[in-house]
């Protein structure tokens, strides 16, 4: 079942506004907490945002900060679309999901990206198994040094020695059957070389 869950997991970018069932949410978060971490330090910090006003404030702050940037050759592939849509005033980085799970970790800790990635992947797989949609969200990571976002995230409970290294939109997919897209797609990249 685990391999099938991996093969059928896809990003969801349209969510119903229905709150995620508390037990399902708990299971998703627990899957993140069970993820491996370097030297078993277990220092991911999960900020689970369900308050619509906080989600709106985060969306507004992210939009304002990206709108103040310019697209360059160096950033166009990563954040060019975020900047473009923010300048139009239409950008909602978390796709209107009713839950956003922000994963922070210690600044300067060597395994911070790996630990965060493992936790988010675990949560995405758990979401798929529980008929929830999810999408990896990078925008708060791209703004991890932004003083406006840092101040607000610290107000929400992030520690001063932490930064955001990834986040996850979570909710019920806004699809005809209410389920995530589970079509198995062919893999066109991710080359494999066997040695020996």
């Amino acid at each position: 079942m685990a391999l099938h869950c991996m093969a059928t997991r896809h990003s969801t970018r349209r969510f119903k506004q229905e709150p995620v069932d508390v037990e399902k949410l708990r299971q998703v978060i627990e899957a993140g907490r069970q993820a491996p971490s370097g030297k078993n330090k277990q220092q991911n910090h999960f900020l689970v945002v369900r308050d619509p006003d906080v989600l709106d404030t985060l969306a507004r702050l992210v939009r304002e900060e990206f709108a103040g940037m310019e697209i360059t050759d160096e950033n166009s592939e990563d954040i060019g679309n975020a900047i473009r849509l923010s300048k139009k005033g239409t950008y909602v980085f978390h796709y209107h999901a009713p839950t956003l799970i922000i994963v922070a970790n210690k600044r300067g800790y060597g395994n911070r990206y790996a630990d965060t990635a493992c936790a988010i992947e675990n949560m995405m797989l758990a979401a798929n198994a529980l008929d929830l949609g999810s999408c990896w969200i990078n925008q708060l990571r791209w703004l991890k040094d932004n003083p406006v976002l840092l101040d607000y995230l610290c107000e929400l409970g992030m520690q001063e020695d932490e930064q955001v290294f990834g986040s996850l939109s979570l909710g019920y997919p806004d699809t005809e059957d209410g389920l995530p897209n589970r079509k198995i797609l062919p893999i066109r990249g991710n080359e494999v070389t066997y040695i020996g």
Side-chain angles (χ1 to χ4, degrees):
M1 291 302 291
L3 294 176
H4 183 74
C5 188
M6 291 174 200
T8 60
R9 189 223 57 80
H10 300 289
S11 295
T12 297
R13 292 182 176 86
R14 289 182 55 219
F15 295 91
K16 295 177 180 176
Q17 290 310 294
E18 177 184 346
V20 175
D21 174 80
V22 174
E23 179 55 25
K24 286 186 176 188
L25 178 58
R26 188 197 65 72
Q27 290 178 66
V28 168
I29 294 165
E30 192 58 25
R33 294 182 69 228
Q34 291 290 335
S37 61
K39 296 184 180 178
N40 198 30
K41 285 196 171 197
Q42 300 181 27
Q43 58 190 26
N44 282 327
H45 182 180
F46 300 86
L47 291 90
V48 183
V49 183
R50 298 180 295 168
D51 183 320
D53 292 334
V54 174
L55 289 168
D56 288 347
T57 299
L58 280 168
R60 178 182 56 79
L61 292 175
V62 167
R63 187 169 46 250
E64 288 171 356
E65 295 308 305
F66 277 128
M69 297 178 180
E70 297 303 323
I71 299 172
T72 66
D73 289 341
E74 291 79 29
N75 72 16
S76 65
E77 189 172 319
D78 292 331
I79 61 174
N81 199 44
I83 294 171
R84 193 174 302 105
L85 292 174
S86 291
K87 287 182 182 293
K88 290 181 182 179
T90 60
Y91 191 55
V92 178
F93 76 97
H94 60 86
Y95 302 107
H96 300 281
T99 302
L100 178 70
I101 303 173
I102 301 167
V103 186
N105 207 308
K106 302 294 184 189
R107 297 172 185 268
Y109 166 56
N111 288 318
R112 61 197 183 274
Y113 287 105
D115 290 3
T116 301
C118 288
I120 291 176
E121 178 67 6
N122 267 19
M123 291 190 290
M124 290 167 49
L125 292 172
N128 188 35
L130 294 166
D131 295 335
L132 295 169
S134 66
C135 187
W136 185 297
I137 302 293
N138 275 315
Q139 288 75 354
L140 294 175
R141 178 187 60 81
W142 288 328
L143 296 169
K144 69 180 171 43
D145 295 315
N146 180 286
V148 173
L149 268 299
L150 277 173
D151 286 349
Y152 188 62
L153 289 167
C154 284
E155 284 179 35
L156 297 177
M158 189 174 80
Q159 303 301 310
E160 288 188 16
D161 64 343
E162 295 175 335
Q163 289 177 304
V164 175
F165 295 101
S167 47
L168 181 74
S169 286
L170 184 73
Y172 297 100
D174 188 6
T175 58
E176 220 173 276
D177 62 3
L179 296 173
N181 169 17
R182 291 197 170 114
K183 181 179 177 185
I184 296 179
L185 301 174
I187 303 299
R188 293 190 216 68
N190 299 329
E191 180 181 349
V192 177
T193 302
Y194 290 96
I195 295 110

